[in-house]
Amino acid sequence: MNYKRISDRNNSIFSVKKLFTFLALICIFHTTAFSQTKYLIDYFGIVATGVDDNMSKMTSDLYYTQLCELNGYTVNDKRVGIRMTTAPQDSDFEDGKISLYAVISKKENTSKWISTITIYDSAKKTTLSEAKEYDSFYKILMEPKSSLQETISTLLSGSGLSSQAVIGSASPSKPTAKIQSTEFLSGTWGGEDTIDKIVIMRGGRGFVIFKNGSSMNITVEIQAEGSSQNIVITQNGKANASFFPELPREIALKEAVNAKPIKWIFNINDDDTLSGTKSTLILNDGVAASGTLDVVWKRKS
């Protein structure tokens, strides 16, 4: 018997098995890698009626940020300008992509708002949409990204055509002894004579609406100081004279150019009350200078 020939044959069979195993592993790897990206999404932005440019940009940016944070989606920013005047047409959509945009409008004769998420599925050549009704415009901005993912998944499954859901007021998470996130702050706040409302969204962002009509973007974070923690809220973006309504207009226009960002540092009194100091420009003997004011914010909703 030729043992060498048998040995060579066995080695060949073993090598073939190893080759098939290797190829199978490659297939599994590629399948896993590609399955991590479910969809390619072209984001066209929003159509917004009855909303100013600042709020439109903030809302459009929020949707884009939430899309980019969703696992399994690769997002291409197709926006041109702050907002669209009309919804995109089928000819604007690219084959092989999921195209997405939102239409936001105020519900007739009410204070409610409707945001309609619309996607165009190029594979099925179909347009699907889901409308949600909100008690106020700010509720749109406070909705978590998981809601957007659920909406997209529902639409892509084909079961969300023209469906509608009413979003009520969600109870914010309550702070624990050791605060881990700013999630529990989500909602509308007030408490300063010159400020109409402060809206804090999930993810450490928000904005301040002044009674003079101007708005300021803010960031919200938790900072540790020894064994205690503070809520630090900081102006995000360039200063504006309208951010200093306590000052005479001429002085505010002059000083806002080089003013430091306004900052609030709060302690947490309870779930619905923040107290602390505000670092801003104050008037001292007719001259504007950096200073601090004691402030209290209370939750509105």
Side-chain angles (χ1 to χ4, degrees):
M1 183 178 291
N2 193 330
Y3 291 101
K4 184 179 186 302
R5 182 175 297 174
I6 294 174
S7 177
D8 289 342
R9 186 185 304 162
N10 289 337
N11 286 336
S12 297
I13 294 171
F14 182 67
S15 297
V16 170
K17 287 182 177 179
K18 285 200 297 183
L19 176 61
F20 276 111
T21 301
F22 178 69
L23 291 174
L25 289 173
I26 291 177
C27 289
I28 292 171
F29 172 77
H30 280 283
T31 300
T32 303
F34 283 111
S35 67
Q36 290 176 354
T37 301
K38 297 179 182 177
Y39 300 104
L40 300 175
I41 294 181
D42 281 344
Y43 174 61
F44 283 82
I46 67 172
V47 179
T49 56
V51 184
D52 63 31
D53 285 349
N54 184 57
M55 296 299 289
S56 294
K57 184 178 186 306
M58 187 179 300
T59 308
S60 182
D61 288 347
L62 178 64
Y63 277 130
Y64 177 68
T65 301
Q66 289 181 331
L67 282 171
C68 291
E69 291 175 351
L70 298 181
N71 294 327
Y73 297 87
T74 298
V75 183
N76 182 29
D77 192 352
K78 302 281 285 187
R79 290 177 293 172
V80 178
I82 294 174
R83 57 182 158 183
M84 299 179 290
T85 54
T86 59
Q89 304 300 309
D90 290 358
S91 58
D92 298 323
F93 304 140
E94 185 178 342
D95 289 341
K97 300 282 189 69
I98 297 295
S99 299
L100 184 147
Y101 62 92
V103 177
I104 300 173
S105 60
K106 196 168 187 179
K107 190 174 182 180
E108 190 174 359
N109 299 324
T110 72
S111 60
K112 299 179 182 295
W113 289 80
I114 297 175
S115 176
T116 304
I117 302 294
T118 300
I119 66 171
Y120 176 76
D121 188 338
S122 62
K124 299 177 182 178
K125 304 298 182 185
T126 56
T127 300
L128 303 170
S129 63
E130 180 172 289
K132 291 186 179 181
E133 185 178 291
Y134 299 83
D135 291 335
S136 70
F137 185 88
Y138 305 110
K139 297 290 186 182
I140 300 174
L141 300 173
M142 290 185 289
E143 192 170 45
K145 66 179 181 182
S146 59
S147 178
L148 181 60
Q149 185 173 28
E150 290 170 4
T151 297
I152 295 173
S153 298
T154 300
L155 292 175
L156 292 176
S157 70
S159 60
L161 184 61
S162 300
S163 64
Q164 183 170 342
V166 178
I167 306 300
S169 299
S171 299
S173 303
K174 303 301 182 182
T176 59
K178 186 73 171 179
I179 304 168
Q180 300 299 327
S181 76
T182 60
E183 186 88 358
F184 77 95
L185 293 170
S186 298
T188 305
W189 298 75
E192 296 184 43
D193 292 338
T194 59
I195 291 177
D196 181 39
K197 64 184 67 175
I198 306 103
V199 178
I200 299 178
M201 301 179 289
R202 292 173 172 84
R205 291 171 295 172
F207 50 92
V208 175
I209 304 294
F210 291 88
K211 290 182 178 178
N212 59 22
S214 63
S215 59
M216 173 203 297
N217 292 333
I218 55 175
T219 59
V220 185
E221 59 183 334
I222 299 168
Q223 291 185 359
E225 185 174 331
S227 58
S228 63
Q229 290 179 306
N230 294 323
I231 303 297
V232 179
I233 299 176
T234 310
Q235 168 193 324
N236 184 20
K238 293 183 179 180
N240 185 310
S242 298
F243 296 172
F244 308 100
E246 301 90 348
L247 301 179
R249 184 63 177 175
E250 297 78 11
I251 296 178
L253 287 168
K254 178 183 177 182
E255 298 296 334
V257 178
N258 299 312
K260 295 179 180 178
I262 296 173
K263 179 180 289 187
W264 292 263
I265 300 178
F266 287 118
N267 297 312
I268 304 173
N269 291 16
D270 54 49
D271 296 340
D272 300 318
T273 307
L274 302 175
S275 64
T277 60
K278 175 183 180 180
S279 298
T280 184
L281 292 177
I282 59 176
L283 198 62
N284 188 3
D285 294 330
V287 178
S290 297
T292 58
L293 302 171
D294 292 333
V295 293
V296 176
W297 286 5
K298 290 186 175 294
R299 190 188 298 275
K300 286 187 173 183
S301 63

